[in-house]
Amino acid sequence: MSQLSDSTQRTILFLIADTGAGHRSAANAISNAIRLISQREQEAWLAQRPATEAEGELPPPTYRIEIVDVFEEYSRFPLREAVKLYGPTIRYNPKLFGEVFHRSNREGTVMAMTSLATPLIFNGLLKLFTTIQPDVVVSIHPMLNFVTIRALRQLGLKIPFITVVTDLISVHFSWFAPGADAYIVPTEQAKQLYLSRKLDPKRVHMLGMPIDPKYTREVAPKEELRRKFGLANDLPVVLLVGGGDGAGGLHAAVRAISQAHLPVQLMVVTGRNKKLYAQLQRTRSRLHVPAEIFGFVNNMPELMHAADVIITKAGPGTICEALSCNLPIILSGYVPGQEEGNIDYVVHNDVGILALDARTLTDALRRLIKPGSPELRRRLDNARKISRPASSFDIGDKILSFLPGPGQDSVWQSQGKHPVQYRMSGRIQSAIRIRRLHNRLPKTITRSAMVRRLSRTQDISNEAAKPARRLPRRNIKNRI
């Protein structure tokens, strides 16, 4: 890989916000798929290298991928702090969040919110773009789309902008900001909602929900996986998942199954909810069913393939992951507003049900674990019909199709360089010069207290970023 020239490198910038774990998970899923696509391209080219070099064929590009939490790293007070209220709100007052979602889901409110937020993030976006110099920008958060399109227009560069929608049915108005080059949606219902906005039908692509490529890989047989996780092979396995934050009525579901004395064994994934993990570990010995308790995990495909049924909140990522593993779904909770449509998706396709109370949940579980259950067989068949485990590869291919072709310069390079600098404001040009100088200096100099003070002084005088902050370390910076 090192033999290939950096002149063929392309930069892909993903814009996210860590409001829940779903947006980052989607960005990671697509970037992992692009990495695998790139590996296949490089291997195919190297295998035919003598012939391709003789014909003057250029090597396939390599990809530098950046995933940026824009609100955390490039917005100003109070916007940065306001976004952090998402997690506590859905946990402690979900009805309030649902009301805000529905009231804001219209053009007038979205445009008013955009006008209020733009002064608090616009300069940060310009700084981000001129620092990273992406060849394509991909948004995986609805609140970023309108302002990003404005910022790209301010630069005057033809940088492709793509929106990847991560809500299955309840797609907020802010997802479809006019002016994007492509809109990638997960379902036919989302596509129809896009078309109802009278936007260009050629720009919408129904490619599925991005889930990690590891869901396409073969795993060990169910019996072997159960031995690995300390489970018996003679009892049905129920997997309980509450999302990255461990929400969604997990504790209540565990208690209901235990009190019903169902002939099952449990695997419970509490995610980042350390309090719930400790609570379940303390009470595990008093449960009337065997249970294994996990915190945040990186082997969810194995856990899903070891299970017979999944109980989860109505997060779109977990739903699509479960479908790719042919699991029937019992929804134990949902976030009002954005996850309401996910319930319709599960119920309408007959791959699961909503069970918000203990009686409904245990009755549904009892029917599914019954030997020879026709309901289980029907839902497994339906899951196979609508699952799209390779969706991230399709989305990755679509994103790559917007990059400059072999031998073509980036919009940031060569002949386009001088017109771009001319159109930029003085403070943005200054930010670029400082960053380039910083990259050329030895680390012993750039880390000195004097240079840091000078950098902060320059940032303030040029108003390139408010408040003055050092450039953050990137979440992902890969040369693939």
Side-chain angles (χ1 to χ4, degrees):
M1 220 65 77
S2 60
Q3 305 134 306
L4 302 177
S5 169
D6 279 349
S7 65
T8 63
Q9 188 184 81
R10 304 303 185 197
T11 299
I12 304 169
L13 173 61
F14 288 93
L15 307 180
I16 67 164
D18 280 319
T19 51
H23 303 290
R24 184 175 292 278
S25 295
N28 286 335
I30 301 169
S31 66
N32 289 340
I34 290 174
R35 175 175 57 82
L36 293 171
I37 292 170
S38 178
Q39 285 179 356
R40 289 200 295 261
E41 290 176 346
Q42 303 289 355
E43 289 168 0
W45 186 81
L46 289 171
Q48 303 176 12
R49 189 167 185 175
T52 54
E53 285 183 333
E55 296 172 5
E57 183 179 327
L58 293 172
T62 58
Y63 305 111
R64 169 189 173 214
I65 298 177
E66 302 278 355
I67 300 179
V68 180
D69 182 342
V70 182
F71 292 111
E72 177 63 25
E73 300 182 19
Y74 286 93
S75 73
R76 296 166 49 196
F77 177 87
L79 180 61
R80 183 171 62 247
E81 283 66 29
V83 171
K84 295 177 183 177
L85 296 175
Y86 172 84
T89 303
I90 66 169
R91 191 176 297 118
Y92 300 113
N93 198 341
K95 289 184 179 179
L96 174 62
F97 179 84
E99 187 170 337
V100 171
F101 179 92
H102 289 297
R103 288 181 179 273
S104 66
N105 193 15
R106 52 179 67 96
E107 182 176 8
T109 309
V110 168
M111 299 315 297
M113 292 170 60
T114 300
S115 297
L116 290 172
T118 295
L120 303 174
I121 196 172
F122 193 79
N123 280 350
L125 280 171
L126 291 176
K127 183 177 182 181
L128 170 63
F129 296 150
T130 53
T131 301
I132 301 298
Q133 298 191 355
D135 293 292
V136 62
V137 177
V138 183
S139 169
I140 309 186
H141 196 283
M143 291 176 61
L144 294 168
N145 299 325
F146 280 87
V147 67
T148 298
I149 289 172
R150 288 187 186 181
L152 290 173
R153 286 174 177 166
Q154 173 72 17
L155 287 177
L157 296 173
K158 292 184 178 180
I159 302 172
F161 176 65
I162 301 170
T163 296
V164 178
V165 178
T166 57
D167 289 317
L168 297 176
I169 306 294
S170 303
V171 181
H172 195 273
F173 186 93
S174 54
W175 273 115
F176 299 135
D181 294 275
Y183 306 81
I184 296 172
V185 297
T187 62
E188 179 63 30
Q189 293 92 328
K191 179 180 178 180
Q192 291 304 317
L193 189 58
Y194 168 91
L195 295 174
S196 70
R197 292 272 302 275
K198 308 300 182 186
L199 297 169
D200 186 354
K202 295 180 181 178
R203 299 192 181 196
V204 64
H205 310 274
M206 193 186 78
L207 301 178
M209 177 77 185
I211 62 174
D212 199 277
K214 60 190 176 183
Y215 285 92
T216 64
R217 299 173 192 156
E218 289 188 11
V219 296
K222 190 180 291 285
E223 294 77 11
E224 185 178 329
L225 290 172
R226 290 185 176 182
R227 283 196 300 271
K228 176 179 178 178
F229 298 123
L231 303 168
N233 276 318
D234 58 349
L235 279 177
V237 177
V238 180
L239 176 62
L240 295 99
V241 181
D245 294 322
L250 266 187
H251 194 216
V254 171
R255 188 169 57 246
I257 295 169
S258 173
Q259 292 174 350
H261 293 262
L262 293 178
V264 299
Q265 51 193 332
L266 309 181
M267 293 191 297
V268 187
V269 180
T270 62
R272 298 184 182 89
N273 193 329
K274 296 180 180 179
K275 182 178 179 181
L276 177 59
Y277 175 82
Q279 185 179 22
L280 288 173
Q281 286 286 19
R282 285 196 304 269
T283 60
R284 183 175 65 158
S285 61
R286 298 196 294 272
L287 296 175
H288 300 299
V289 294
E292 297 293 332
I293 315 299
F294 304 89
F296 188 84
V297 300
N298 293 309
N299 61 338
M300 190 61 78
E302 289 187 327
L303 294 172
M304 287 189 176
H305 281 288
D308 297 296
V309 181
I310 186 171
I311 298 175
T312 179
K313 69 184 282 289
T318 305
I319 288 172
C320 293
E321 290 165 0
L323 293 175
S324 72
C325 296
N326 296 320
L327 278 177
I329 301 168
I330 297 176
L331 299 176
S332 60
Y334 65 97
V335 176
Q338 70 185 55
E339 290 184 354
E340 291 171 5
N342 300 344
I343 300 170
D344 296 335
Y345 182 76
V346 168
V347 174
H348 176 76
N349 287 291
D350 194 21
V351 293
I353 68 162
L354 175 66
L356 296 179
D357 61 87
R359 179 68 178 271
T360 305
L361 187 147
T362 54
D363 285 350
L365 194 51
R366 193 175 280 110
R367 292 193 305 271
L368 289 171
I369 64 173
K370 184 179 179 181
S373 168
E375 184 174 327
L376 174 63
R377 194 162 51 247
R378 185 179 73 249
R379 290 188 176 159
L380 291 178
D381 289 340
N382 291 335
R384 293 187 190 97
K385 292 175 184 176
I386 66 171
S387 68
R388 300 186 69 158
S391 56
S392 291
F393 291 98
D394 296 332
I395 296 170
D397 282 328
K398 178 57 66 175
I399 292 170
L400 297 181
S401 72
F402 283 89
L403 294 173
Q408 293 181 345
D409 283 332
S410 166
V411 295
W412 299 92
Q413 296 171 337
S414 66
Q415 58 186 354
K417 178 177 178 180
H418 299 294
V420 169
Q421 294 287 352
Y422 177 78
R423 287 191 293 269
M424 287 181 188
S425 65
R427 65 174 178 266
I428 295 300
Q429 293 185 47
S430 177
I432 295 172
R433 287 195 298 270
I434 292 171
R435 181 62 173 172
R436 286 174 176 167
L437 175 62
H438 187 279
N439 288 339
R440 288 196 296 267
L441 291 174
K443 290 184 179 180
T444 54
I445 296 177
T446 59
R447 289 175 179 173
S448 69
M450 181 177 293
V451 169
R452 289 200 300 269
R453 284 197 298 271
L454 287 172
S455 296
R456 285 197 294 269
T457 303
Q458 186 68 38
D459 278 346
I460 292 170
S461 64
N462 287 320
E463 298 179 5
K466 298 180 181 180
R469 303 163 71 198
R470 287 190 304 167
L471 286 168
R473 294 177 63 186
R474 294 275 54 79
N475 303 95
I476 291 183
K477 189 172 183 179
N478 292 336
R479 291 177 183 268
I480 300 174

